[in-house]
Amino acid sequence: MKKTINLTKAGKAELEKELAGLIAERPAIAERIATARAFGDLSENQEYTDARAEQKNVENRILEIQETLKNAVLIKARKSDKVVIGATVNITMSGKKFTYTIVGPVEANPLEGKISHESPIGKELLGRKADESFDFNGKKVKILSIE
């Protein structure tokens, strides 16, 4: 069964940009491999080993991104009075204010305020309304607004 991957429009664009950059790196990596191969004995050629490892990493990431994009379902930004995937939520937790955008796991980056709908706090927020309060890991959380 094919697993669908939730992506925002911005998240899809980021992945497409990264994919284009990785594909553009291919000729330079191939050139480094050819140059390193010309040095001779491949068994003790660190430049060759490093270039091949880089090539493997780049190719694996290209395949991963292509698979993600193939299975991607765009999150439709819709106005709702409840927290849904794609919504931006302003909350207070233990007296501190936080702003989170609810995204799919592929896009999640808590340092940028993007949390997965599959994360513990993401699951707690889904379906809740503004001005609603709840306890999360022993902390009082209040939803201030939903955008």
Side-chain angles (χ1 to χ4, degrees), residues 28-86:
I29 294 171
E31 182 66 32
R32 281 199 298 282
I33 290 171
T35 301
R37 188 178 285 138
F39 292 152
D41 185 9
L42 298 181
S43 66
E44 294 182 19
N45 187 330
Q46 191 60 45
E47 290 85 4
Y48 178 78
T49 303
D50 291 346
R52 291 288 295 173
E54 182 182 3
Q55 181 185 43
K56 181 180 177 186
N57 290 337
V58 166
E59 292 302 322
N60 285 339
R61 182 64 180 148
I62 287 171
L63 291 173
E64 182 182 335
I65 293 171
Q66 287 173 334
E67 188 66 18
T68 297
L69 291 173
K70 184 173 81 175
N71 296 314
V73 174
L74 278 184
I75 297 169
K76 304 272 192 264
R78 63 179 202 245
K79 201 72 173 154
S80 175
D81 63 338
K82 293 182 178 180
V83 178
V84 294
I85 300 174

Side-chain angles (χ1 to χ4, degrees), residues 13 35 40 88 94 126 128:
T35 301
T88 299
S94 297
L126 282 179
R128 295 192 184 263

Side-chain angles (χ1 to χ4, degrees), residues 85-104:
I85 300 174
T88 299
V89 184
N90 297 298
I91 66 170
T92 59
M93 187 181 321
S94 297
K96 294 181 182 175
K97 289 186 179 182
F98 298 92
T99 300
Y100 294 122
T101 301
I102 311 298
V103 296

